[in-house]
Amino acid sequence: MIELKHITQEYDTADGKGKFFACKDVNVHVKPGDIFGIIGRSGAGKSTLVRCINLLNRPTSGSVIVDGKDLTKMSESELREERRSIGMIFQHFNLLSSRTVYGNVALPLELAGMPKDKIREKVMPLIELVGLSEHVNKYPSQLSGGQKQRVGIARALSSDPKILLSDEATSALDPETTQATLQLLKKINKELGLTIVMITHEMDVVKQICNRVVVMNKGVVVEEGAVLEVFRDPKNEVTQAMLGTALAARTIPASMVERVKKVLNTPGENGRKNHLIRLTFVGSSTTEPVLSRACSKFDLDFNILLGQVDEIQSESYGTLTIVMEGTTENFRQALNYIAERGVRVEELTNVI
Ligand SMILES: Nc1ncnc2c1ncn2[C@@H]1O[C@H](COP(=O)(O)OP(=O)(O)O)[C@@H](O)[C@H]1O
Ligand SMILES: [Mg+2]
């Protein structure tokens, strides 16, 4: 659906004396129906990259292929036509304060020269879709932030786009309004089959609605994958830092280290030993009592040190850090038993 190939964007540095890369050799492939997240800290190059998708930004080099067509090779008029299939929403809504809700949503259609009655036929259902039917004649100053973003969404949908680009669309909203806006975007993705590219600096946004994600840092993609995979096993330190609290349960707090060390160094009776392990589970495996079954089957005891269960895209995922006690042979068999049931299991030998 969208292929960004070797996108590089060079800018002059602030002092005008040198150059730097806002994006450097970025490759991204968005499939039809994706809600594709692009996450990174401020200044990572996310907005630059997303603005390349509709060529609001012309990259220094690289190609932008949308629906099989290379936008970088199009004439201005071809490009104008192509842009109609790509809607965009922004952090600060970008509404016209002198126009009502209706007037804002109708604007792109007026500019495209659509007759008034046709515009009405198009605009009213969109206003209903975003839940603003009661506010149709209000001006932006009479609306809350969430309502303004709904106007932005309805306006972006007015030209029947196939793709919606969202640049920090929920970043100016409170958590509750963010939730409602994300649910609306999810509904649009499902019901209208729109492909959505979501730029955000909040992992929570990615977690809730994206199916795939790329992580950007200093103009380059440092990690990419299915959201569940990236959350389960973040490889890059930027990703790990951005996951923040979602990862808190993976690190043994300093206050526990001494106690855990002591436990691990104390052998049990009859050759039993203590092992520190971490289980990471996603989806249905969370509900299965895999751990307790493994322990009773192989005569092991376990003690939970840390645990967290969270939800990504309506699938639960979580980690448990536990101490397991048993004979080495039984312990190995239990780990295999657990791994065979879809739970990732790691022995933590050098964590503490
Ligand atoms: N038009 C421009 N001219 C010069 N530098 C720019 C321009 N646009 C963005 N930048 C710089 O490029 C870097 C990436 O910016 P941006 O894409 O906005 O990052 P993000 O959206 O991830 O916060 C930043 O250092 C920013 O200051
Ligand atoms: Mg930005």
Side-chain angles (χ1 to χ4, degrees):
M1 185 97 207
I2 305 171
E3 277 180 89
L4 300 175
K5 291 186 175 171
H6 305 293
I7 297 291
T8 291
Q9 178 85 54
E10 252 184 82
Y11 284 127
D12 294 332
T13 49
D15 60 14
K17 288 181 183 157
K19 301 260 186 205
F20 78 99
F21 294 103
C23 291
K24 193 171 182 180
D25 196 23
V26 174
N27 294 289
V28 170
H29 187 178
V30 180
K31 297 204 175 74
D34 273 349
I35 303 186
F36 195 99
I38 298 176
I39 189 165
R41 298 189 181 110
S42 173
K46 309 181 295 293
S47 295
T48 303
L49 185 69
V50 82
R51 288 161 63 88
C52 286
I53 298 176
N54 52 12
L55 290 194
L56 281 180
N57 238 11
R58 224 169 236 285
T60 314
S61 60
S63 42
V64 179
I65 295 164
V66 176
D67 251 354
K69 290 171 275 187
D70 189 339
L71 268 50
T72 51
K73 297 208 166 79
M74 285 184 177
S75 68
E76 267 309 311
S77 64
E78 285 174 314
L79 188 56
R80 215 171 304 128
E81 189 49 38
E82 199 54 40
R83 278 198 186 118
R84 291 175 52 76
S85 67
I86 309 175
M88 190 158 183
I89 54 175
F90 308 88
Q91 178 173 7
H92 297 297
F93 324 123
N94 298 9
L95 303 180
L96 289 181
S97 57
S98 60
R99 281 185 163 238
T100 61
V101 168
Y102 183 92
N104 269 286
V105 179
L107 184 64
L109 302 175
E110 287 175 26
L111 294 175
M114 192 185 264
K116 272 199 168 144
D117 52 337
K118 286 269 181 289
I119 291 181
R120 197 162 188 86
E121 269 174 34
K122 184 88 222 169
V123 169
M124 293 313 280
L126 284 175
I127 290 177
E128 193 177 334
L129 175 77
V130 300
L132 289 178
S133 298
E134 287 166 36
H135 306 284
V136 69
N137 292 318
K138 287 193 179 161
Y139 288 88
S141 61
Q142 297 168 299
L143 302 175
S144 69
Q147 289 167 338
K148 285 184 207 169
Q149 194 54 284
R150 283 165 186 269
V151 179
I153 293 170
R155 181 185 55 189
L157 296 178
S158 67
S159 56
D160 290 325
K162 290 172 284 188
I163 295 166
L164 181 66
L165 309 177
S166 162
D167 191 350
E168 304 274 7
T170 58
S171 299
L173 305 177
D174 61 64
E176 216 170 290
T177 316
T178 293
Q179 280 301 322
T181 310
L182 293 178
Q183 289 318 311
L184 175 61
L185 291 174
K186 204 167 183 172
K187 175 171 133 178
I188 289 165
N189 165 259
K190 238 182 165 165
E191 292 180 7
L192 308 180
L194 227 75
T195 303
I196 302 180
V197 180
M198 294 283 298
I199 290 210
T200 179
H201 63 277
E202 296 166 301
M203 259 313 173
D204 259 0
V205 168
V206 170
K207 191 171 87 182
Q208 283 180 46
I209 71 165
C210 298
N211 60 321
R212 289 192 71 80
V213 64
V214 300
V215 184
M216 285 188 75
N217 189 43
K218 297 181 181 163
V220 299
V221 170
V222 293
E223 188 151 0
E224 162 163 32
V227 169
L228 275 168
E229 286 302 318
V230 171
F231 270 72
R232 177 160 53 182
D233 194 14
K235 299 207 164 59
N236 187 276
E237 61 189 47
V238 176
T239 318
Q240 290 170 358
M242 300 215 69
L243 279 168
T245 52
L247 278 182
R250 296 172 66 97
T251 316
I252 294 176
S255 59
M256 278 174 99
V257 168
E258 281 311 311
R259 192 152 48 91
V260 173
K261 267 188 184 165
K262 204 164 156 188
V263 170
L264 293 179
N265 291 329
T266 312
E269 287 171 10
N270 306 323
R272 290 166 74 93
K273 279 188 187 144
N274 285 299
H275 304 266
L276 182 64
I277 68 165
R278 178 163 67 212
L279 308 170
T280 309
F281 37 79
V282 175
S284 57
S285 55
T286 45
T287 51
E288 285 176 35
V290 173
L291 178 61
S292 55
R293 278 206 199 126
C295 287
S296 61
K297 197 169 162 70
F298 299 104
D299 183 30
L300 297 159
D301 290 317
F302 70 92
N303 189 1
I304 297 177
L305 299 178
L306 296 166
Q308 185 175 358
V309 179
D310 206 336
E311 207 173 62
I312 310 175
Q313 299 176 298
S314 319
E315 288 241 53
S316 44
Y317 93 112
T319 61
L320 271 186
T321 304
I322 66 178
V323 173
M324 262 187 171
E325 192 220 59
T327 65
T328 304
E329 174 57 23
N330 283 357
F331 171 69
R332 292 288 154 219
Q333 286 186 15
L335 292 200
N336 284 337
Y337 176 92
I338 293 168
E340 278 164 9
R341 277 150 190 82
V343 177
R344 179 194 297 264
V345 34
E346 300 157 89
E347 183 168 11
L348 307 179
T349 45
N350 51 7
V351 164
I352 53 173

